[in-house]
């Protein structure tokens, strides 16, 4: 498999975590977003959304969108599973992942920040305020949802979650960790997000999360 | 089941389509977003993201995030399936859905438009330009992806898709149709999006899509 990705892209980071958790080897192909390499015809001609990450399978199929790629990896390489065995658990995990990937990340990615700066003439501090507003907003919602799910687990006699949901990392954790990395980089207020940060801390104790982080990538920059 | 939703919310519309395609009956509970009913403690206390839609199952579990809800419905009510039977097809369908739900809708929903207006002091025409920019941008990417997938199907000797992927509506179509409704409402340029609009047209020939549309909802306004 080939993973086309950028060390600092949080969507790329999600897939690197999933690949590491599954213990899968792959060719790392850097696509430098700031240098606009994702718009090179050789890449853009094969990848409809012209975004990273994309995954080329051993059969030559090009897959896009990080959550879809992770579900594909989970279906084609079953161990360890990145989704719970029951439909309710899967719904909760997918919802947590989507609260990050559909409600927070899309508002704070590079192309949106560029558009604010270049088309809406928002200055640097306004851009940072935008970043922090949506990230803090989304993380507060995530913390509320984790608290609701903790109550649901307790009521059902289930153990407290060590990760976002349950005792093993899931798709939700693949999305959470890159989000917290970015939040720290942009000095987002993380006060009071106890359940969220506990899950993050427990993830970071695992080699898979450590080895997938931006600073460990071949294309990492200082 | 109870669906908490708003007639004009495109994420709500996605789930209404899925419920209609499955032929499932449910209690329709309107949550008026413009009147901020989603922030009422009775609702917000049960729904971590305080967004619509949310689905209360017959067992009393509250599910959030439209794509997670649709996958739950697909897993618990198998017929007709809203995802292909093979892992590659599922990856393509999920990616198309996510190209809409992660790349377009998050940038154009009510809370973002309000934030642009009230916090960034963007005027009405600037707000409309923002809406059209991200919607057109995302739809152009979607059309490219549909063209790449059409080529992949042809190379594999598969029939041309009638919907986003294949001969039956999928999760991707549940996301596409609400997007096109909104694009038409905001006068987004749809020129040249031939594959996208063909899938939309084929969907709208089905009663499930007709019956789920905003104007058919109990809380519809002119």
């Amino acid at each position: 498999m080939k993973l086309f990705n950028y060390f600092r892209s949080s969507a790329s980071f999600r897939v690197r975590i999933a690949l590491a958790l599954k213990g899968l080897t792959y060719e790392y192909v850097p696509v430098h977003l700031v240098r606009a390499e994702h718009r090179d015809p050789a890449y853009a001609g094969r990848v409809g959304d012209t975004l990273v990450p994309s995954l080329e399978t051993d059969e030559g199929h090009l897959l896009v969108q990080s959550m879809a790629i992770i579900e594909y990896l989970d279906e084609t390489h079953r161990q360890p599973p990145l989704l719970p065995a029951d439909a309710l658990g899967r719904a909760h995990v997918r919802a947590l992942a989507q609260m990050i990937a559909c409600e927070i990340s899309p508002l704070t990615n590079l192309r949106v920040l560029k558009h604010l700066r270049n088309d809406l003439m928002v200055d640097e501090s306004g851009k940072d305020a935008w970043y922090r507003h949506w990230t803090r907003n989304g993380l507060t919602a995530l913390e509320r949802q984790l608290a609701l799910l903790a109550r649901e687990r307790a009521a059902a006699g289930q153990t407290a979650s060590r990760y976002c949901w349950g005792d093993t990392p899931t798709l939700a954790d693949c999305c959470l960790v890159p989000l917290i990395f970015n939040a720290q980089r942009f000095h987002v207020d993380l006060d009071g997000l106890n359940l969220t940060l506990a899950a993050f801390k427990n993830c970071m104790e695992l080699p898979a999360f450590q080895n997938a982080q931006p600073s460990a990538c071949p294309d990492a920059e200082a």
Side-chain angles (χ1 to χ4, degrees), chain A residues 6-11 31-39 50-52 104-119 124 127 130-131 182 185-186 221:
Chain A
Y6 179 53
F7 78 106
R8 203 166 258 159
S9 142
S10 61
V31 179
H32 201 295
L33 291 192
V34 179
R35 286 191 220 120
E37 288 177 2
H38 56 300
R39 295 215 202 92
T50 70
L51 300 173
V52 291
I104 307 176
S105 301
L107 291 162
T108 58
N109 65 25
L110 193 61
R111 67 197 174 114
V112 173
L113 299 180
K114 267 191 176 169
H115 186 79
L116 285 173
R117 194 84 182 89
N118 301 337
D119 296 79
E124 277 298 310
K127 205 189 71 177
W130 167 279
Y131 194 104
N182 279 351
R185 196 168 149 241
F186 281 84
E221 294 162 13

Side-chain angles (χ1 to χ4, degrees), chain A residues 145-160:
Chain A
Q145 185 67 9
L146 290 175
L148 287 165
L149 294 180
R151 247 191 278 164
E152 181 173 312
R153 287 181 74 91
Q158 291 172 297
T159 55

Side-chain angles (χ1 to χ4, degrees), chain A residues 73-96:
Chain A
L73 292 171
D74 200 44
E75 291 179 357
T76 52
H77 302 84
R78 292 279 178 190
Q79 295 306 322
L82 300 181
L83 286 168
D86 62 306
L88 181 65
R90 281 194 296 276
H92 287 328
V93 165
R94 287 186 178 122
L96 290 168

